[in-house]
């Protein structure tokens, strides 16, 4: 299976980031995983990369293939992040998959996610859920 | 005039007065004449002054008789010297006139009798005065009564005004009480909504740490050797506890979710068959484990104007209730039917399970977090959710049950039609 360029985990819950990080590491689908505690930090990071403001040879900076975005966060929540994210350069976004992570099966967040047409995963994240997401949205990982 | 008449008579008599016995006769004659004429004069004068016709006539007649008497005596002065025939004729005329007057007087007797006497008049007068006094007394009494009445009317009006004022005050009080009630009601509604929100957000926010715990438990399990029996048991219990917390939180979220009022656009015509199929698809495992046979006949009323989400929740809770409280002695059979029973659409869900002792538990059957069995997993929210959903939609739930035979839930949907439903 071809490895992904990198994954961003955006969630204010440290333990959740830790567990997801661990899961993805064990799945061995990428070598680069980066965690952010809120939408603002993640957006600044992505903006700088899309505008070429950073040196991509630095392993700290990479363009992700997959972004897992929590909805409830301080400073800038998932939907606010999403609104800015969609304004980034279209070419840059072409090969970036974004999925929302939510805790509840019902409720406003889920409805909003479903309505926006963006894939969403119900926590907890499992290997099966990640696999299914990649198969559906990242073609080169198939097989 | 009378005096003049008398003086004339005197003047006429005196020069003719002879002396001697004949003279005495003449003097007495003169006195009689004078008396007659004076009486006649008085009577005429009285007749003139009296204003009643009857008395006037009588006085005039008396006057005429007196005058005639006087005239006859007057003739005596004349009679000794001059023509006897003429005197005799005059006497006769005067006598006739007097008789005539006397006759007329006789005729007038009944009229005179009719004239009341002075005493009678006085008596009548007195009586009249008495009557007048009585009347005055009556009038005074009347006036008093009137005053009393007026007084009473005034008092009554005053009372009425007072009562009116009291009423107005009462109305004001009621109005302000009503306002307070409305504001209290509003506060309560707000508080309820806040509570619902609180439960919703609390259950949602607690979910993340619970998920983390279960994730961490899983991670620890992966790091530990797999051949330790003791650890395996501990982990099994840990898994149980974590999944129990998780289930309870989900129930809380579900309860708070159905407590939110429905938006009009959430209502649509929902098919019972489709909804049931969806529910069965969602819970294949429990149905299979129970070996349940689900029969449905919705031909009498295939659709209901309702929230799809709510109908799914109703059916899920009803089916899982039947599964949980099935009788282990026989395979579970659940029968679902609908029918119209004005003004309701009735959904009947019948099972052949253990049944419920309604006499003992009936009152608390639909209460939140009440449980009547401990042999199965349950949280005490299923029936509460059913009742809440029906209440929210102005419907109702009824339950019939025989211990050891089974239970029937009857759900009454009001405004089940698209047309009537829009008015909700």
């Amino acid at each position: 299976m071809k490895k992904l360029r990198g994954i961003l985990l955006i969630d204010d819950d440290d333990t959740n980031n830790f567990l997801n990080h661990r899961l993805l590491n064990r799945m061995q689908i990428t070598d680069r995983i980066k965690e952010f505690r809120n939408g603002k930090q993640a957006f600044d990071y992505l903006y700088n990369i899309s505008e070429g403001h950073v040196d991509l040879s630095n392993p700290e900076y990479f363009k992700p293939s997959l972004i897992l975005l929590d909805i409830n966060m301080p400073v800038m929540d998932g939907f606010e992040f999403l609104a800015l994210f969609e304004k980034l350069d279209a070419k840059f976004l072409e090969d970036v998959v974004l999925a929302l992570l939510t805790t509840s099966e019902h409720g406003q967040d889920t409805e909003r996610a479903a309505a926006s047409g963006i894939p969403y995963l119900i926590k907890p994240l499992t290997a099966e859920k990640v696999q299914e997401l990649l198969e559906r949205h990242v073609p080169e990982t198939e097989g | 005039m009378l005096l003049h008449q008398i003086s004339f008579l005197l003047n006429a008599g005196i020069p003719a007065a002879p002396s001697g016995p004949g003279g005495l006769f003449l003097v007495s004659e003169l006195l009689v004449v004078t008396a007659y004429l004076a009486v006649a004069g008085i009577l005429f004068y009285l007749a003139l002054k009296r204003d009643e016709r009857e008395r006037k006539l009588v006085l005039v007649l008396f006057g005429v008789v007196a005058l005639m008497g006087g005239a006859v005596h007057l003739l005596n002065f004349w009679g000794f010297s001059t023509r006897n025939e003429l005197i005799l004729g005059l006497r006769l005329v005067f006598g006739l006139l007097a008789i005539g007057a006397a006759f007329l007087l006789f005729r007038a007797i009944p009229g005179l009798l009719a004239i009341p006497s002075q005493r009678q008049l006085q008596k009548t007068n007195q009586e009249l005065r008495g009557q007048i006094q009585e009347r005055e007394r009556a009038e005074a009494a009347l006036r008093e009564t009137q005053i009393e009445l007026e007084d009473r009317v005034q008092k009554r009006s005053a009372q009425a005004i007072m009562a009116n004022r009291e009423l107005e005050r009462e109305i004001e009080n009621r109005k302000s009480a009503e306002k307070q009630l409305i504001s209290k009601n509003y506060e309560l509604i707000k508080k309820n909504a806040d509570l619902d929100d609180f439960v919703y957000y609390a259950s949602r926010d607690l979910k993340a740490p619970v998920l983390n715990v279960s994730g961490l438990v899983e991670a620890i399990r992966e790091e530990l050797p797999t051949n330790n029996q003791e650890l395996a048991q501990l982990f099994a219990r840990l898994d149980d506890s974590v999944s129990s917390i998780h289930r309870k939180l989900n129930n809380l979220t579900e309860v708070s979710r159905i407590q939110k009022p429905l938006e009009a656009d959430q209502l649509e015509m929902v098919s019972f068959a489709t909804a049931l199929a969806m529910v069965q698809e969602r819970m294949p495992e429990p149905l299979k484990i129970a070996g349940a046979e689900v029969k449905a006949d919705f031909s009498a009323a295939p659709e209901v104007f309702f929230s799809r989400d709510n109908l799914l929740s109703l059916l899920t809770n009803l089916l899982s209730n039947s599964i949980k409280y099935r009788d282990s002695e026989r395979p579970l059979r659940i029968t679902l039917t609908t029918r119209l029973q004005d003004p309701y659409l009735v959904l009947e869900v019948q099972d052949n399970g253990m049944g419920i002792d309604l006499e003992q538990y009936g009152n608390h059957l639909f209460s939140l977090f009440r449980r009547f069995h401990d042999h199965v997993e349950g949280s005490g929210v299923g029936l509460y959710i059913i009742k809440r959903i029906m209440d929210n939609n102005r419907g109702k739930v009824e339950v019939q049950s025989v211990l050891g035979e089974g239970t029937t839930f009857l759900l009454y949907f009001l405004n089940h039609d698209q047309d009537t439903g829009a008015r909700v």
Side-chain angles (χ1 to χ4, degrees), chain B residues 318-338:
Chain B
L318 286 166
L319 287 192
S320 65
N321 204 66
S322 288
I323 292 167
K324 272 182 206 161
Y325 305 111
R326 66 183 184 271
D327 195 324
S328 51
E329 299 291 304
R330 52 180 179 258
L332 174 63
R333 264 209 312 276
I334 307 172
T335 313
L336 298 96
T337 51
T338 53

Side-chain angles (χ1 to χ4, degrees), chain A residues 4-22:
Chain A
L4 300 176
R5 279 193 308 271
I7 300 175
L8 296 192
L9 299 173
I10 311 172
D11 195 329
D12 62 313
D13 187 331
D14 233 9
T15 307
N16 195 244
N17 276 338
F18 164 78
L19 287 169
N20 290 349
H21 202 144
R22 184 175 177 274

Side-chain angles (χ1 to χ4, degrees), chain A residues 13 15-16 19 22 26 72 103-104 106-109 123-124, chain B residues 200-201 204 207-208 211-212 215-216 219 222-223 254 257 309:
Chain A
D13 187 331
T15 307
N16 195 244
L19 287 169
R22 184 175 177 274
R26 289 167 79 94
N72 293 296
T103 47
S104 71
H106 298 287
Q108 297 155 347
D109 295 346
K123 290 180 186 178
Chain B
Y200 176 75
Y201 288 111
R204 191 198 67 182
K207 235 179 229 178
L211 287 176
N212 283 343
L216 289 169
E222 281 165 9
E223 299 294 334
E254 177 77 359
R257 217 165 54 82
D309 206 19

Side-chain angles (χ1 to χ4, degrees), chain B residues 368-395:
Chain B
L368 189 56
F369 303 128
R370 285 301 295 258
R371 299 200 53 231
F372 309 108
H373 296 274
D374 54 7
H375 74 285
V376 279
E377 194 55 59
S379 56
V381 296
L383 295 186
Y384 173 79
I385 285 173
I386 291 170
K387 174 127 173 62
R388 247 334 259 262
I389 289 177
M390 294 316 287
D391 283 352
N392 280 356
N393 291 280
R394 299 199 296 160

Side-chain angles (χ1 to χ4, degrees), chain B residues 16-269:
Chain B
S19 52
L24 196 63
F25 170 78
L26 280 176
V27 169
S28 65
E29 274 300 291
L30 180 65
L31 287 174
V32 170
V33 167
T34 308
Y36 270 123
L37 288 179
V39 166
I42 289 166
L43 286 169
F44 285 135
Y45 176 71
L46 284 174
L48 202 68
K49 287 288 169 190
R50 288 307 268 220
D51 40 5
E52 313 100 304
R53 216 176 122 256
E54 203 72 30
R55 297 217 172 168
K56 217 178 215 175
L57 180 69
V58 169
L59 287 167
V60 167
L61 288 172
F62 274 120
V64 168
V65 171
L67 190 61
M68 289 311 112
V72 168
H73 285 284
L74 197 59
L75 285 173
N76 289 335
F77 293 93
W78 202 0
F80 295 111
S81 52
T82 50
R83 293 154 277 184
N84 245 350
E85 293 84 0
L86 182 63
I87 292 167
L88 282 173
L90 276 172
R91 271 180 189 262
L92 187 65
V93 170
F94 292 156
L96 285 172
L97 278 172
I99 282 294
F103 177 71
L104 283 176
L105 268 176
F106 173 73
R107 289 262 316 260
I109 283 173
L112 286 171
L113 282 175
I115 292 170
S117 71
Q118 192 85 8
R119 277 177 76 183
Q120 260 181 320
L121 278 174
Q122 272 177 355
K123 212 179 136 197
T124 317
N125 207 3
Q126 230 168 357
E127 274 174 13
L128 275 174
R129 258 191 222 142
Q131 278 176 8
I132 286 169
Q133 272 181 349
E134 229 166 88
R135 239 178 243 181
E136 274 172 357
R137 267 202 299 277
E139 254 171 55
L142 256 179
R143 231 174 287 138
E144 247 173 63
T145 318
Q146 203 176 336
I147 287 166
E148 209 176 295
L149 267 177
E150 272 170 17
D151 205 40
R152 237 188 262 176
V153 167
Q154 267 181 346
K155 269 187 202 159
R156 281 273 162 87
S157 331
Q159 276 177 345
I161 288 167
M162 288 281 286
N164 212 9
R165 272 191 208 145
E166 249 169 65
L167 264 180
E168 273 168 18
R169 253 202 305 276
E170 178 71 28
I171 287 169
E172 281 302 311
N173 285 348
R174 292 230 177 138
K175 269 188 196 163
S176 79
E178 200 178 320
K179 261 189 209 161
Q180 274 182 333
L181 260 183
I182 288 169
S183 87
K184 276 269 153 65
N185 204 14
Y186 179 77
E187 259 175 58
L188 273 178
I189 288 170
K190 217 181 147 292
K191 264 187 198 161
N192 254 341
D194 286 351
L195 264 180
D196 285 350
D197 278 354
F198 171 76
V199 172
Y200 176 75
Y201 288 111
S203 59
R204 191 198 67 182
D205 289 350
L206 283 173
K207 235 179 229 178
V210 172
L211 287 176
N212 283 343
V213 169
S214 83
L216 289 169
V217 169
E218 191 56 36
I220 292 165
R221 200 208 311 266
E222 281 165 9
E223 299 294 334
L224 288 171
T226 52
N227 52 5
N228 189 323
Q229 273 291 346
E230 191 97 356
L231 275 178
Q233 264 186 17
L234 288 173
F235 273 111
R237 286 188 184 278
L238 200 50
D239 283 345
D240 260 8
S241 298
V242 172
S243 68
S244 165
I245 296 172
H246 199 217
R247 199 171 41 246
K248 280 175 186 191
L249 284 177
N250 275 338
N251 280 328
L252 269 182
T253 317
E254 177 77 359
V255 167
S256 65
R257 217 165 54 82
I258 58 122
Q259 272 164 348
K260 287 199 164 67
L262 283 176
E263 305 287 328
D265 59 6
Q266 285 178 272
L267 298 172
E268 56 185 319
M269 290 307 289

Side-chain angles (χ1 to χ4, degrees), chain B residues 355-368:
Chain B
I356 308 162
D357 186 349
L358 289 177
E359 265 186 38
Q360 197 177 347
Y361 303 121
N363 289 338
H364 306 292
L365 201 56
F366 295 103
S367 303
L368 189 56

